[in-house]
Amino acid sequence: MSGTTGDQFNTTEHDDEKFVDLVLTDKNLTGHMFENCVFLRCKLGAVNFSKTRLSNCTFISCDLNNGIFKYARIRETSFKECKLSGVQWIYCADFTNPSFEQCILTYSNFSGLKLKKTSYFKCNLREVDFSNADLLESDFREADFAAARFGGTDLRRADFRGAINYAIDPGENKVRGAKFSMPEAQGLLIGLGIIID
């Protein structure tokens, strides 16, 4: 469906559909179910996805800034080159195996979530809250972490190669086996109170 404004959402179940250039800013999609759907260049900012199910869906170049996902169930869904600023993922009822690639996730909240092996490849993660999250073996390569928060976070075997602007205290986070690259790996020393010239 191309260039539509939402008339096709009179039904709540959507299987194997493709939505292109859809404009639904501020709309209410509470309780809808999307399975194997593709969203391409859609404007979905501040859309209410509460109690919505997204299973095996793909979002490409979509604007989902400030989307509301309260009690949503999101499984095996990927986001590529999407804007997802301000999303409070912590209110999802189920958030299983998402992936993010080259997305803007600024001001998002992943605190306390179990997101093992999640990809955040080349994402903008400025001021994102990862406190107490389980991010074991996650892919953070080439991501930007300016002012992102970590505390009680499981980052074991995560890949931070090429990532920038992170400040992770190994005394407050699990980092064993994580991969970092220089010179950014100096961000691991911030919690130690030492000065490097």
Side-chain angles (χ1 to χ4, degrees):
M1 297 181 182
S2 180
T4 54
T5 57
D7 294 337
Q8 72 276 25
F9 292 105
N10 293 332
T11 179
T12 60
E13 294 187 20
H14 312 276
D15 294 317
D16 300 304
E17 292 185 47
K18 185 171 185 177
F19 304 99
V20 180
D21 297 321
L22 186 66
V23 179
L24 287 178
T25 305
D26 293 316
K27 296 289 183 186
N28 188 345
L29 295 179
T30 298
H32 283 253
M33 293 182 285
F34 298 91
E35 188 159 348
N36 299 311
C37 291
V38 175
F39 295 81
L40 179 63
R41 297 184 310 273
C42 296
K43 294 186 186 305
L44 306 167
V47 167
N48 188 347
F49 288 101
S50 294
K51 298 181 182 175
T52 295
R53 284 190 7 207
L54 296 166
S55 182
N56 296 301
C57 292
T58 303
F59 291 83
I60 303 168
S61 300
C62 292
D63 179 351
L64 292 125
N65 285 336
N66 298 308
I68 301 165
F69 291 90
K70 195 169 187 179
Y71 306 116
R73 297 186 177 280
I74 302 172
R75 297 180 148 261
E76 308 288 341
T77 293
S78 65
F79 301 89
K80 297 176 183 175
E81 299 176 4
C82 291
K83 297 175 184 175
L84 295 148
S85 291
V87 175
Q88 302 299 303
W89 301 103
I90 59 171
Y91 296 120
C92 290
D94 181 15
F95 196 37
T96 306
N97 296 327
S99 69
F100 304 94
E101 183 178 330
Q102 294 183 303
C103 291
I104 299 170
L105 288 151
T106 53
Y107 307 104
S108 292
N109 191 344
F110 295 96
S111 64
L113 294 177
K114 292 182 184 203
L115 295 170
K116 295 177 182 178
K117 298 183 179 181
T118 299
S119 176
Y120 297 90
F121 181 65
K122 287 189 175 183
C123 287
N124 182 339
L125 301 169
R126 290 173 176 260
E127 300 200 43
V128 170
D129 190 350
F130 289 112
S131 302
N132 300 305
D134 184 350
L135 299 165
L136 180 82
E137 297 179 357
S138 288
D139 181 0
F140 295 110
R141 288 174 298 140
E142 300 183 42
D144 183 352
F145 288 94
R149 290 177 296 288
F150 296 93
T153 309
D154 189 346
L155 300 167
R156 290 175 296 162
R157 297 188 299 281
D159 192 345
F160 286 86
R161 291 176 294 176
I164 59 171
N165 296 322
Y166 51 81
I168 300 169
D169 184 344
E172 293 182 14
N173 299 281
K174 298 176 183 176
V175 294
R176 183 176 298 278
K179 298 173 184 171
F180 298 92
S181 52
M182 291 298 284
E184 290 297 328
Q186 294 173 13
L188 297 169
L189 304 175
I190 289 173
L192 301 176
I194 60 175
I195 299 169
I196 299 173
D197 283 331

